[in-house]
Amino acid sequence: MKRVAKPVFFIVAVLIAALVVTTFMGVYSTYGDRTDTHIKGAGDIRFGIDIRGGVEATFGPSDTNLDVTDNQMEAIKDVIAQRLILNGVTDYELYTDLANDQVIVRYPWASHETEFDAAAAIQELGQTARLEFHLGSETKDKTDDKGEVVKDENGNAIKVPSGSLVLTGDDVQSAEALATQDEKGNLIYIVSLELKESGKKAFADATKAQKANKGTISIWLDDQMISNPTVNAHITDGKATIEGGFETMADAADLANLITSGALPFDIKVTNSGSISPTMGATALEAMILAGIIAFALISIYMIIRYRLPGVVAVIALAGQVAGAIACISGYFTFFEGLTLTIPGIAGIILSIGMGVDANTITAERIKEEIRAGRTIDGAVDRGTKASFSAIFDGNITVMIVAIVLMGVFGSSTSLWAKLLSWALYFFPVATTGSVYAFGFTLLVGIVWNFIMGVWLSRLMLKSLCRFKALRKPFFLGGERV
């Protein structure tokens, strides 16, 4: 058996403990009445309508005299659905009422919402996200059709760019939030843009002209200048970045999501809104948490009594697996937004935990068989872990394939999984159903963490513990007491 140093167990156990604590508690800092989130905890999870309730809203055109087509209403529905998914909202219901030119949406409250203001909750869905690139940063007063100056709610004239229009959001192929460093080595957040063919030539001409006199190309979102970068290069490949104005990665991601989701075909307004009560009842979440704690405690006791030392290691690995799955849901890892946790999503976590228990049980039984066959401690652990791997791998990979198919079929058409399965979904187009997608997502991340915790790290910890003389007894690995 390849020797593993004694301190490995303690290092891995401490790392798992840190993951568990930060996943459930989060990491925050407070300055006066402001609280900054550094690592999202379990309290930041957006729970589904079935657990926490949500909001219902009806959208319609702002101009009631507008002649709206069915295709335009379907476009409104698609944009709203895309914005929901990009914001990590996967549990929603979305319908079009073509007879009355309306789109009806129901989705859960955000984790930070406590006042349950339906009007504020749905504001992000109706934004037009009109993105424009203009030469220079000079402005002028905005005027209406009658030539009168348009003012904001405070009575101040609204400013709009006076420079020539270079690009619009329709010329943008994709937008992605990234973290990078500036010339001084400071961490900054940017939005990376890739332009369509329709915008490459115009952008190349604009950057060439502005580079000569060190001018700027201002970037505007809904009549608000969000950035005014100086042109330092002649860009001909259609790849550009929006810099400045982003205090956090989330700020950059919000802009990227709005750009990616596309602009609405016309301005819309909320014609009706209200709150939805949780379908499972207000105390359902507390009951499920209590049931989960009791179930985990009983499983832990059983594993330790039956398998002894491998059982202790299995309990630590299972705690890490649960924490890892919750971390992926809450947005703990900043490279994706997380997920709306619904009852089917919880079922996916439970199923993945069952796979984790199964993986540790198979390994422990194989080691026990080797011990009872008379092998040494090192030989039994080595042969037992190797003999159990193929069965664990086959079972978990099969479940991962099922989870990926569910995410591809019932997720966004622009998602990675939908693109990978595009050849298979040609005759069966995607059906965006958040509850099924949530089940596939939690099942997938649970299985991935099972490989990390239940297969890799648990074996490292067990081999490390077997280096201690006091634990090198067959009894601790399932053998008879001498």
Side-chain angles (χ1 to χ4, degrees):
M1 178 179 75
K2 184 178 180 180
R3 291 185 177 274
V4 177
K6 291 180 180 179
V8 168
F9 169 78
F10 300 101
I11 294 172
V12 173
V14 168
L15 290 176
I16 292 176
L19 175 64
V20 171
V21 172
T22 55
T23 293
F24 286 97
M25 303 299 293
V27 178
Y28 310 93
S29 62
T30 303
Y31 302 93
D33 59 352
R34 189 187 79 179
T35 300
D36 295 329
T37 301
H38 303 291
I39 297 178
K40 291 184 178 180
D44 295 306
I45 294 175
R46 184 195 287 259
F47 291 97
I49 296 174
D50 49 2
I51 298 176
R52 193 163 180 253
V55 61
E56 178 181 60
T58 301
F59 291 93
S62 298
D63 184 357
T64 55
N65 296 320
L66 190 66
D67 185 14
V68 180
T69 66
D70 291 351
N71 288 337
Q72 287 177 319
M73 291 307 301
E74 289 297 332
I76 293 287
K77 176 185 174 182
D78 291 342
V79 169
I80 291 177
Q82 188 73 357
R83 290 180 179 178
L84 286 166
I85 293 172
L86 288 170
N87 282 283
V89 183
T90 54
D91 177 37
Y92 64 84
E93 300 174 17
L94 192 58
Y95 315 94
T96 50
D97 179 4
L98 299 178
N100 297 303
D101 295 334
Q102 294 178 338
V103 175
I104 304 168
V105 60
R106 300 184 181 98
Y107 67 101
W109 299 109
S111 58
H112 61 274
E113 290 177 313
T114 56
E115 298 181 356
F116 302 123
D117 184 351
I122 61 182
Q123 183 179 6
E124 60 183 342
L125 299 182
Q127 295 183 41
T128 56
R130 187 176 67 256
L131 182 74
E132 294 180 345
F133 293 68
H134 287 264
L135 289 178
S137 57
E138 292 75 18
T139 62
K140 61 182 179 181
D141 293 340
K142 183 177 182 179
T143 57
D144 57 19
D145 296 338
K146 298 179 181 179
E148 298 180 356
V149 176
V150 179
K151 298 181 179 181
D152 59 21
E153 57 185 9
N154 298 319
N156 300 319
I158 297 176
K159 299 294 183 179
V160 294
S162 59
S164 301
L165 177 65
V166 180
L167 300 173
T168 68
D170 293 333
D171 297 313
V172 178
Q173 177 68 39
S174 63
E176 180 183 8
L178 300 172
T180 185
Q181 291 182 328
D182 60 15
E183 296 177 353
K184 298 180 180 179
N186 299 319
L187 182 66
I188 61 171
Y189 304 101
I190 65 173
V191 174
S192 175
L193 300 178
E194 183 175 349
L195 304 179
K196 298 178 182 177
E197 289 296 330
S198 60
K200 287 183 179 180
K201 185 179 185 305
F203 194 69
D205 293 341
T207 54
K208 182 179 180 180
Q210 294 299 82
K211 179 188 176 183
N213 55 19
K214 294 185 179 181
T216 64
I217 295 181
S218 57
I219 305 170
W220 296 73
L221 185 69
D222 291 341
D223 292 335
Q224 181 179 359
M225 187 168 66
I226 60 174
S227 186
N228 185 33
T230 301
V231 178
N232 296 317
H234 178 204
I235 300 174
T236 59
D237 60 358
K239 295 181 179 180
T241 58
I242 300 176
E243 301 180 11
F246 305 121
E247 295 183 0
T248 65
M249 186 69 169
D251 294 335
D254 288 342
L255 175 57
N257 289 346
L258 284 173
I259 296 171
T260 302
S261 64
L264 298 168
F266 49 80
D267 290 345
I268 60 175
K269 66 178 181 179
V270 179
T271 59
N272 186 35
S273 65
S275 300
I276 305 172
S277 300
T279 57
M280 292 293 293
T283 61
L285 180 59
E286 290 78 4
M288 286 185 291
I289 293 174
L290 179 60
I293 294 172
I294 294 173
F296 188 86
L298 293 176
I299 291 172
S300 300
I301 293 170
Y302 172 80
M303 293 291 289
I304 293 172
I305 292 175
R306 180 167 179 80
Y307 297 111
R308 298 150 198 174
L309 195 59
V312 173
V313 170
V315 171
I316 297 174
L318 285 174
Q321 180 183 339
V322 174
I326 296 297
C328 291
I329 295 168
S330 67
Y332 181 100
F333 304 105
T334 57
F335 44 82
F336 58 84
E337 287 294 322
L339 179 86
T340 304
L341 186 58
T342 61
I343 297 296
I346 294 175
I349 296 176
I350 294 172
L351 180 56
S352 67
I353 293 173
M355 298 294 291
V357 173
D358 184 60
N360 285 280
T361 299
I362 292 173
T363 301
E365 288 289 351
R366 293 291 185 272
I367 293 174
K368 183 190 290 188
E369 291 174 2
E370 297 296 333
I371 286 289
R372 292 180 175 177
R375 298 197 180 277
T376 63
I377 298 296
D378 293 341
V381 173
D382 189 45
R383 290 178 64 90
T385 53
K386 288 181 179 178
S388 62
F389 180 76
S390 61
I392 296 171
F393 181 82
D394 292 344
N396 281 267
I397 286 296
T398 302
V399 176
M400 285 183 69
I401 293 173
V402 173
I404 289 172
V405 170
L406 290 176
M407 292 176 66
V409 173
F410 294 98
S412 168
S413 60
T414 61
S415 69
L416 171 64
W417 311 116
K419 292 177 180 177
L420 289 176
L421 296 172
S422 59
W423 58 273
L425 299 177
Y426 182 78
F427 298 102
F428 304 95
V430 294
T432 307
T433 304
S435 58
V436 180
Y437 177 87
F439 175 77
F441 179 89
T442 55
L443 184 58
L444 177 63
V445 297
I447 295 301
V448 171
W449 280 102
N450 181 30
F451 274 114
I452 296 172
M453 297 291 178
V455 177
W456 178 42
L457 293 182
S458 65
R459 298 180 183 206
L460 281 179
M461 287 190 288
L462 183 59
K463 291 179 179 180
S464 174
L465 286 175
C466 288
R467 295 290 309 280
F468 291 89
K469 186 176 180 180
L471 300 177
R472 291 182 64 83
K473 295 182 173 113
F475 173 75
F476 290 117
L477 296 175
E480 299 298 330
R481 186 185 296 273
V482 179

mmCIF file of all heavy atoms in Angstrom, residues 8 20 40 54 59 62 94 105 128 148 150 177 205 208 248 277 296 321 336 344 430 461:
data_model
loop_
_atom_site.group_PDB
_atom_site.id
_atom_site.type_symbol
_atom_site.label_atom_id
_atom_site.label_comp_id
_atom_site.label_asym_id
_atom_site.label_seq_id
_atom_site.Cartn_x
_atom_site.Cartn_y
_atom_site.Cartn_z
ATOM 1 N N VAL A 8 -1.998 13.708 7.319
ATOM 2 C CA VAL A 8 -2.970 13.884 6.236
ATOM 3 C C VAL A 8 -4.396 13.844 6.767
ATOM 4 O O VAL A 8 -5.249 14.638 6.362
ATOM 5 C CB VAL A 8 -2.755 12.822 5.140
ATOM 6 C CG1 VAL A 8 -3.927 12.811 4.167
ATOM 7 C CG2 VAL A 8 -1.463 13.086 4.393
ATOM 8 N N VAL A 20 -17.612 22.828 5.932
ATOM 9 C CA VAL A 20 -18.923 22.668 6.556
ATOM 10 C C VAL A 20 -19.346 23.966 7.252
ATOM 11 O O VAL A 20 -20.474 24.454 7.070
ATOM 12 C CB VAL A 20 -18.911 21.501 7.561
ATOM 13 C CG1 VAL A 20 -20.212 21.473 8.369
ATOM 14 C CG2 VAL A 20 -18.719 20.170 6.841
ATOM 15 N N LYS A 40 -21.126 33.159 0.477
ATOM 16 C CA LYS A 40 -22.545 32.927 0.728
ATOM 17 C C LYS A 40 -22.744 31.672 1.568
ATOM 18 O O LYS A 40 -22.088 30.653 1.342
ATOM 19 C CB LYS A 40 -23.313 32.797 -0.586
ATOM 20 C CG LYS A 40 -23.408 34.095 -1.373
ATOM 21 C CD LYS A 40 -24.262 33.920 -2.613
ATOM 22 C CE LYS A 40 -24.394 35.237 -3.371
ATOM 23 N NZ LYS A 40 -25.236 35.086 -4.584
ATOM 24 N N GLY A 54 -43.723 32.881 -2.924
ATOM 25 C CA GLY A 54 -43.097 33.718 -3.940
ATOM 26 C C GLY A 54 -44.000 34.835 -4.404
ATOM 27 O O GLY A 54 -44.877 35.306 -3.679
ATOM 28 N N PHE A 59 -47.321 40.722 -16.845
ATOM 29 C CA PHE A 59 -46.670 41.751 -17.648
ATOM 30 C C PHE A 59 -47.484 42.022 -18.909
ATOM 31 O O PHE A 59 -48.031 41.092 -19.513
ATOM 32 C CB PHE A 59 -45.263 41.321 -18.060
ATOM 33 C CG PHE A 59 -44.282 41.260 -16.927
ATOM 34 C CD1 PHE A 59 -44.066 40.084 -16.241
ATOM 35 C CD2 PHE A 59 -43.574 42.388 -16.555
ATOM 36 C CE1 PHE A 59 -43.159 40.021 -15.204
ATOM 37 C CE2 PHE A 59 -42.661 42.343 -15.523
ATOM 38 C CZ PHE A 59 -42.459 41.156 -14.837
ATOM 39 N N SER A 62 -46.360 48.515 -22.211
ATOM 40 C CA SER A 62 -46.583 49.829 -21.593
ATOM 41 C C SER A 62 -47.540 50.669 -22.422
ATOM 42 O O SER A 62 -48.358 51.420 -21.890
ATOM 43 C CB SER A 62 -45.250 50.558 -21.421
ATOM 44 O OG SER A 62 -44.395 49.854 -20.558
ATOM 45 N N LEU A 94 -44.382 29.980 -16.024
ATOM 46 C CA LEU A 94 -44.423 31.074 -16.988
ATOM 47 C C LEU A 94 -45.431 30.741 -18.086
ATOM 48 O O LEU A 94 -45.355 29.669 -18.693
ATOM 49 C CB LEU A 94 -43.026 31.294 -17.588
ATOM 50 C CG LEU A 94 -42.776 32.553 -18.410
ATOM 51 C CD1 LEU A 94 -43.054 33.804 -17.584
ATOM 52 C CD2 LEU A 94 -41.336 32.562 -18.901
ATOM 53 N N VAL A 105 -46.097 35.253 -14.758
ATOM 54 C CA VAL A 105 -44.942 34.557 -14.189
ATOM 55 C C VAL A 105 -45.122 34.401 -12.685
ATOM 56 O O VAL A 105 -45.644 35.290 -12.011
ATOM 57 C CB VAL A 105 -43.620 35.314 -14.509
ATOM 58 C CG1 VAL A 105 -43.635 36.717 -13.936
ATOM 59 C CG2 VAL A 105 -42.417 34.555 -13.968
ATOM 60 N N THR A 128 -35.425 46.845 -19.749
ATOM 61 C CA THR A 128 -35.245 46.729 -21.195
ATOM 62 C C THR A 128 -33.809 46.414 -21.581
ATOM 63 O O THR A 128 -33.544 45.901 -22.650
ATOM 64 C CB THR A 128 -35.660 48.036 -21.899
ATOM 65 O OG1 THR A 128 -34.923 49.125 -21.336
ATOM 66 C CG2 THR A 128 -37.138 48.298 -21.704
ATOM 67 N N GLU A 148 -39.670 68.547 -26.110
ATOM 68 C CA GLU A 148 -39.561 69.011 -24.734
ATOM 69 C C GLU A 148 -38.563 68.156 -23.962
ATOM 70 O O GLU A 148 -38.439 66.942 -24.203
ATOM 71 C CB GLU A 148 -40.931 68.976 -24.055
ATOM 72 C CG GLU A 148 -41.954 69.893 -24.710
ATOM 73 C CD GLU A 148 -43.310 69.827 -24.014
ATOM 74 O OE1 GLU A 148 -43.442 69.005 -23.078
ATOM 75 O OE2 GLU A 148 -44.215 70.573 -24.413
ATOM 76 N N VAL A 150 -37.029 65.863 -21.269
ATOM 77 C CA VAL A 150 -37.556 64.825 -20.380
ATOM 78 C C VAL A 150 -36.803 64.906 -19.052
ATOM 79 O O VAL A 150 -35.574 64.966 -19.020
ATOM 80 C CB VAL A 150 -37.382 63.427 -21.003
ATOM 81 C CG1 VAL A 150 -37.911 62.352 -20.060
ATOM 82 C CG2 VAL A 150 -38.091 63.370 -22.349
ATOM 83 N N ALA A 177 -18.969 37.756 -17.143
ATOM 84 C CA ALA A 177 -18.300 38.451 -16.042
ATOM 85 C C ALA A 177 -17.015 37.716 -15.685
ATOM 86 O O ALA A 177 -17.007 36.497 -15.543
ATOM 87 C CB ALA A 177 -19.222 38.524 -14.834
ATOM 88 N N ASP A 205 -13.840 50.410 -36.866
ATOM 89 C CA ASP A 205 -13.702 51.786 -37.363
ATOM 90 C C ASP A 205 -13.692 52.782 -36.209
ATOM 91 O O ASP A 205 -12.915 53.753 -36.214
ATOM 92 C CB ASP A 205 -14.855 52.115 -38.318
ATOM 93 C CG ASP A 205 -14.789 51.298 -39.603
ATOM 94 O OD1 ASP A 205 -13.698 50.778 -39.906
ATOM 95 O OD2 ASP A 205 -15.826 51.192 -40.292
ATOM 96 N N LYS A 208 -10.413 52.599 -34.212
ATOM 97 C CA LYS A 208 -9.324 53.166 -35.001
ATOM 98 C C LYS A 208 -9.343 54.694 -34.920
ATOM 99 O O LYS A 208 -8.307 55.338 -34.733
ATOM 100 C CB LYS A 208 -9.443 52.709 -36.452
ATOM 101 C CG LYS A 208 -8.324 53.221 -37.348
ATOM 102 C CD LYS A 208 -8.489 52.705 -38.777
ATOM 103 C CE LYS A 208 -7.368 53.225 -39.667
ATOM 104 N NZ LYS A 208 -7.536 52.729 -41.071
ATOM 105 N N THR A 248 -18.260 44.520 -7.159
ATOM 106 C CA THR A 248 -18.181 43.089 -6.859
ATOM 107 C C THR A 248 -18.377 42.283 -8.132
ATOM 108 O O THR A 248 -18.811 42.808 -9.167
ATOM 109 C CB THR A 248 -19.256 42.672 -5.844
ATOM 110 O OG1 THR A 248 -20.557 42.856 -6.440
ATOM 111 C CG2 THR A 248 -19.167 43.506 -4.573
ATOM 112 N N SER A 277 -48.438 32.024 -1.288
ATOM 113 C CA SER A 277 -48.079 31.313 -0.058
ATOM 114 C C SER A 277 -47.353 30.024 -0.401
ATOM 115 O O SER A 277 -47.600 29.419 -1.455
ATOM 116 C CB SER A 277 -49.332 30.989 0.757
ATOM 117 O OG SER A 277 -50.021 32.171 1.112
ATOM 118 N N PHE A 296 -29.243 12.143 9.506
ATOM 119 C CA PHE A 296 -27.780 12.105 9.423
ATOM 120 C C PHE A 296 -27.182 11.548 10.709
ATOM 121 O O PHE A 296 -26.209 10.782 10.673
ATOM 122 C CB PHE A 296 -27.228 13.511 9.162
ATOM 123 C CG PHE A 296 -25.761 13.540 8.869
ATOM 124 C CD1 PHE A 296 -25.290 13.337 7.585
ATOM 125 C CD2 PHE A 296 -24.829 13.757 9.877
ATOM 126 C CE1 PHE A 296 -23.942 13.352 7.299
ATOM 127 C CE2 PHE A 296 -23.473 13.773 9.613
ATOM 128 C CZ PHE A 296 -23.030 13.567 8.313
ATOM 129 N N GLN A 321 -19.566 15.948 1.911
ATOM 130 C CA GLN A 321 -20.377 15.812 0.708
ATOM 131 C C GLN A 321 -21.632 16.678 0.796
ATOM 132 O O GLN A 321 -21.991 17.369 -0.172
ATOM 133 C CB GLN A 321 -20.770 14.348 0.492
ATOM 134 C CG GLN A 321 -21.616 14.132 -0.755
ATOM 135 C CD GLN A 321 -22.048 12.679 -0.914
ATOM 136 O OE1 GLN A 321 -21.433 11.772 -0.355
ATOM 137 N NE2 GLN A 321 -23.106 12.447 -1.666
ATOM 138 N N PHE A 336 -20.435 30.350 -10.449
ATOM 139 C CA PHE A 336 -21.811 30.255 -10.920
ATOM 140 C C PHE A 336 -22.748 30.687 -9.808
ATOM 141 O O PHE A 336 -22.411 30.683 -8.635
ATOM 142 C CB PHE A 336 -22.167 28.868 -11.460
ATOM 143 C CG PHE A 336 -21.986 27.733 -10.488
ATOM 144 C CD1 PHE A 336 -22.970 27.414 -9.567
ATOM 145 C CD2 PHE A 336 -20.838 26.968 -10.526
ATOM 146 C CE1 PHE A 336 -22.804 26.359 -8.698
ATOM 147 C CE2 PHE A 336 -20.669 25.920 -9.642
ATOM 148 C CZ PHE A 336 -21.645 25.617 -8.727
ATOM 149 N N PRO A 344 -38.049 18.818 -5.020
ATOM 150 C CA PRO A 344 -37.308 17.865 -5.860
ATOM 151 C C PRO A 344 -35.797 18.038 -5.747
ATOM 152 O O PRO A 344 -35.044 17.066 -5.824
ATOM 153 C CB PRO A 344 -37.801 18.200 -7.281
ATOM 154 C CG PRO A 344 -39.151 18.786 -7.082
ATOM 155 C CD PRO A 344 -39.051 19.570 -5.809
ATOM 156 N N VAL A 430 -35.848 21.337 -25.716
ATOM 157 C CA VAL A 430 -35.795 21.512 -24.271
ATOM 158 C C VAL A 430 -37.129 22.035 -23.742
ATOM 159 O O VAL A 430 -37.844 22.765 -24.424
ATOM 160 C CB VAL A 430 -34.672 22.488 -23.877
ATOM 161 C CG1 VAL A 430 -33.318 21.910 -24.198
ATOM 162 C CG2 VAL A 430 -34.862 23.836 -24.559
ATOM 163 N N MET A 461 -7.856 9.619 4.237
ATOM 164 C CA MET A 461 -7.979 9.690 5.696
ATOM 165 C C MET A 461 -7.814 8.311 6.334
ATOM 166 O O MET A 461 -7.143 8.173 7.368
ATOM 167 C CB MET A 461 -9.339 10.292 6.073
ATOM 168 C CG MET A 461 -9.455 11.781 5.815
ATOM 169 S SD MET A 461 -10.964 12.507 6.524
ATOM 170 C CE MET A 461 -12.197 11.836 5.403
#
